[in-house]
C-alpha cells in the first residue's frame, strides 16, 4: 500500500514494476530474517531543530542514542516530529520553555529530554538497507515525504544511477533532492563477502566476483598468499526531502556488506575521538554538532563527498589493474 501511494500519486512511480519489485524484496528478506539480524546495529539518527536566535550553532537536539537496530530506529522515528517551526521562537528561553527544559543543565547542553519536542531536521543513515529497515521507515515517514522515500527505495534496490530535483507546487508543497551512485569496490581478504540480502529469485541483491589472477605470484609478490581479491557491487543513495528550508529530512542508504571501511560503530567511535558527532551521510567529514542547516547546501556537500569516495574506489581498481598488467609487459 505504501509503494502504491495515495490516489492521484501514480505519476510519482518511477516504473510499472516499482511496486512489485520493492514488495517482493521485502517479503523475501523478511521471511529469512533471524533473531541475530534483528539485533544487528545498522542505523544512526540525528534529530534537531534550529534555535530562532541561533545562540548555539548546534540548535536544539534530541539525545544521541548511538547505533540503533531497526526496531530501535522505528521507535525513535515514531516520536512526534512537529511541523511547528523553531524559527518563530523569539528567544532561547521561550524555546526552552516550549521544549520543557527542566534544568540549567538542559539549557547548557541543549540536549532536551522531552520526547515530544520538534525534530524539524532529521538525518537517517542505514547500512545495507533490508526489509526491516524499510518497514521502520515506511511506518513512521511523514505523508509529504512518502513519494520521495518510495523512489529512494526503488532506485537503491535496482542500483539505478540518478541525480534529480523534484519541486511539488500543488497539494502538499515539498521538494526532493536525490542522488544514487552505483560503483564497484576492490577488496583483498582471506574470504569473500556475500550479500545476505536476496532478490525474489534467490540471488544476492549485490553481486561479487573473485579475481584470482590478481593474487598470482609476481615480481613484487613472488609467493601466493591466502589473500584473495574480489570485486564487489556497491550502491549509495541519498535523498533530502522536506517542506521548506527549516523542515526537512535526509536519508542515506549505503552498502557495507563487503567489509566496508565505514560502519555505524565506526561513526559512533569517531564521536569519542573528535569530541563531536560524525555525520555518516557525509562519511564523517561533517561535524554533526556543527550542522549545515540549509538542505540544498547539505545535499550538495554530501554529493561532493560521496562522489569523491566512489572516485577513490574506481581509482584503486584502475591502479591495481595497471600494476598487474605491467608485470607481464
Amino acid at each position: 500500500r505504501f509503494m502504491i501511494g495515495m490516489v492521484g500519486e501514480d505519476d510519482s512511480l518511477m516504473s510499472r514494476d516499482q511496486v512489485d519489485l520493492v514488495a517482493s524484496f521485502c517479503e523475501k528478506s523478511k521471511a529469512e530474517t533471524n533473531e541475530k539480524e534483528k539485533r544487528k546495529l545498522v542505523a544512526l539518527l540525528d534529530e534537531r531543530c534550529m534555535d530562532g536566535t541561533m545562540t548555539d550553532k548546534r540548535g536544539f537536539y534530541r539525545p544521541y542514542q548511538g547505533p540503533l537496530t531497526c526496531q530501535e530506529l522505528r521507535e525513535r522515528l515514531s516520536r512526534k516530529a512537529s511541523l511547528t517551526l523553531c524559527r518563530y521562537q523569539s528567544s532561547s528561553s521561550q524555546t526552552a520553555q516550549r521544549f520543557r527544559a527542566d534544568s540549567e543543565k538542559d539549557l547548557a547542553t541543549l540536549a532536551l529530554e522531552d520526547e515530544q519536542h520538534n525534530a524539524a531536521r532529521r538525518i537517517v543513515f542505514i547500512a545495507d538497507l533490508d526489509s526491516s529497515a524499510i518497514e521502520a521507515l515506511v511506518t513512521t515517514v511523514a505523508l509529504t515525504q512518502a513519494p520521495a522515500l518510495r523512489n529512494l527505495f526503488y532506485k537503491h534496490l535496482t542500483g539505478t544511477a540518478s541525480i534529480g530535483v523534484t519541486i511539488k507546487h500543488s497539494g502538499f508543497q515539498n521538494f526532493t533532492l536525490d542522488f544514487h551512485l552505483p560503483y564497484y569496490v576492490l577488496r583483498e581478504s582471506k574470504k569473500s563477502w556475500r550479500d545476505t540480502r536476496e532478490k525474489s529469485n534467490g540471488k544476492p541483491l549485490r553481486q561479487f566476483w573473485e579475481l584470482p589472477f590478481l593474487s598470482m605470484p609476481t615480481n613484487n609478490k613472488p609467493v601466493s598468499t591466502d589473500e584473495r581479491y574480489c570485486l564487489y557491487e556497491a550502491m549509495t543513495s541519498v535523498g533530502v526531502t522536506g517542506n521548506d528550508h527549516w523542515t526537512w529530512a535526509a536519508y542515506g542508504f549505503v552498502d557495507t556488506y563487503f567489509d566496508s571501511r565505514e560502519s555505524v560503530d565506526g561513526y559512533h567511535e569517531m564521536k569519542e575521538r573528535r569530541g563531536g558527532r560524525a555525520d555518516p551521510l557525509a562519511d564523517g567529514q561533517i561535524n554533526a554538532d556543527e550542522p549545515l542547516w540549509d538542505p540544498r547546501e547539505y545535499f550538495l556537500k554530501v554529493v561532493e563527498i560521496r562522489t569523491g569516495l566512489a572516485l577513490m574506489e574506481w581509482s584503486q581498481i584502475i591502479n591495481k589493474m595497471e600494476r598487474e598488467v605491467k608485470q607481464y609487459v
Side-chain angles (χ1 to χ4, degrees), residues 152-325:
L152 202 64
F153 291 152
Y154 177 74
K155 290 181 180 179
H156 185 75
L157 295 178
T158 57
T160 302
S162 172
I163 184 169
V165 178
T166 303
I167 301 177
K168 188 175 180 182
H169 297 289
S170 59
F172 291 112
Q173 297 185 16
N174 66 343
F175 68 89
T176 300
L177 312 171
D178 64 284
F179 167 73
H180 306 265
L181 180 63
Y183 57 102
Y184 293 92
V185 299
L186 183 67
R187 293 290 183 269
E188 183 183 21
S189 61
K190 292 184 178 181
K191 59 175 290 188
S192 56
W193 301 91
R194 182 182 184 277
D195 189 358
T196 58
R197 300 168 298 172
E198 294 184 351
K199 303 177 184 178
S200 58
N201 60 9
K203 294 183 179 181
L205 181 64
R206 311 285 185 229
Q207 302 291 324
F208 79 93
W209 298 267
E210 292 188 1
L211 306 178
F213 61 89
L214 292 181
S215 301
M216 295 174 61
T218 65
N219 294 335
N220 295 329
K221 189 173 60 177
V223 180
S224 179
T225 67
D226 293 334
E227 301 287 318
R228 68 181 71 178
Y229 280 95
C230 291
L231 189 68
Y232 298 90
E233 285 185 324
M235 184 72 182
T236 293
S237 296
V238 175
V240 176
T241 181
N243 301 332
D244 51 35
H245 296 300
W246 296 271
T247 307
W248 53 274
Y251 300 92
F253 309 146
V254 177
D255 287 340
T256 64
Y257 72 95
F258 46 84
D259 193 26
S260 173
R261 296 181 179 89
E262 63 176 314
S263 66
V264 293
D265 289 324
Y267 288 125
H268 178 63
E269 292 170 0
M270 285 184 186
K271 182 177 184 295
E272 304 300 325
R273 297 196 302 267
R274 299 181 180 181
R277 304 185 208 175
D279 187 321
L281 269 65
D283 189 45
Q285 297 183 40
I286 294 178
N287 185 346
D289 287 327
E290 297 178 4
L292 299 177
W293 293 101
D294 185 285
R296 292 172 298 182
E297 181 183 4
Y298 180 80
F299 175 76
L300 291 174
K301 186 62 179 178
V302 170
V303 169
E304 176 190 10
I305 291 171
R306 287 292 169 180
T307 52
L309 292 175
L311 177 61
M312 185 170 60
E313 295 290 356
W314 274 112
S315 297
Q316 180 181 349
I317 295 171
I318 294 172
N319 292 338
K320 177 61 178 177
M321 295 298 295
E322 286 183 345
R323 289 195 300 268
E324 292 299 317
V325 169

Side-chain angles (χ1 to χ4, degrees), residues 22-274:
V22 177
S24 61
F25 170 79
C26 290
E27 291 172 0
K28 175 72 173 177
S29 179
K30 189 172 183 178
E32 298 180 354
T33 301
N34 53 40
E35 290 302 319
K36 182 179 179 181
E37 290 294 320
K38 292 180 180 179
R39 295 193 299 270
K40 188 176 180 180
L41 300 173
V42 297
L44 289 170
L45 176 66
D46 182 80
E47 300 176 292
R48 61 186 71 222
C49 172
M50 183 186 292
D51 177 11
T53 59
M54 284 307 294
T55 55
D56 191 299
K57 57 188 174 184
R58 293 173 295 177
F60 285 82
Y61 57 89
R62 289 178 171 172
Y64 173 65
Q65 301 297 315
L68 304 170
T69 64
C70 289
Q71 179 59 37
E72 290 169 339
L73 176 65
R74 180 175 180 173
E75 293 171 358
R76 300 292 295 179
L77 292 177
S78 296
R79 298 175 307 161
K80 182 179 178 181
S82 172
L83 297 184
T84 303
L85 303 182
C86 297
R87 69 179 185 275
Y88 292 123
Q89 298 300 320
S90 61
S91 69
S92 297
S93 60
Q94 289 178 326
T95 304
Q97 184 177 9
R98 183 162 66 87
F99 284 64
R100 302 177 189 173
D102 295 324
S103 68
E104 292 298 325
K105 181 179 180 181
D106 285 333
L107 291 174
T109 63
L110 301 182
L112 307 180
E113 298 295 337
D114 177 23
E115 291 191 348
Q116 297 303 313
H117 74 263
N118 291 1
R121 177 187 181 274
R122 260 180 178 163
I123 307 297
V124 182
F125 173 85
I126 297 176
D128 299 325
L129 182 77
D130 63 8
S131 63
S132 298
I134 290 176
E135 182 179 2
L137 297 178
V138 165
T139 55
T140 58
V141 68
L143 182 64
T144 55
Q145 297 176 7
L149 208 53
R150 285 199 295 267
N151 291 331
L152 202 64
F153 291 152
Y154 177 74
K155 290 181 180 179
H156 185 75
L157 295 178
T158 57
T160 302
S162 172
I163 184 169
V165 178
T166 303
I167 301 177
K168 188 175 180 182
H169 297 289
S170 59
F172 291 112
Q173 297 185 16
N174 66 343
F175 68 89
T176 300
L177 312 171
D178 64 284
F179 167 73
H180 306 265
L181 180 63
Y183 57 102
Y184 293 92
V185 299
L186 183 67
R187 293 290 183 269
E188 183 183 21
S189 61
K190 292 184 178 181
K191 59 175 290 188
S192 56
W193 301 91
R194 182 182 184 277
D195 189 358
T196 58
R197 300 168 298 172
E198 294 184 351
K199 303 177 184 178
S200 58
N201 60 9
K203 294 183 179 181
L205 181 64
R206 311 285 185 229
Q207 302 291 324
F208 79 93
W209 298 267
E210 292 188 1
L211 306 178
F213 61 89
L214 292 181
S215 301
M216 295 174 61
T218 65
N219 294 335
N220 295 329
K221 189 173 60 177
V223 180
S224 179
T225 67
D226 293 334
E227 301 287 318
R228 68 181 71 178
Y229 280 95
C230 291
L231 189 68
Y232 298 90
E233 285 185 324
M235 184 72 182
T236 293
S237 296
V238 175
V240 176
T241 181
N243 301 332
D244 51 35
H245 296 300
W246 296 271
T247 307
W248 53 274
Y251 300 92
F253 309 146
V254 177
D255 287 340
T256 64
Y257 72 95
F258 46 84
D259 193 26
S260 173
R261 296 181 179 89
E262 63 176 314
S263 66
V264 293
D265 289 324
Y267 288 125
H268 178 63
E269 292 170 0
M270 285 184 186
K271 182 177 184 295
E272 304 300 325
R273 297 196 302 267
R274 299 181 180 181

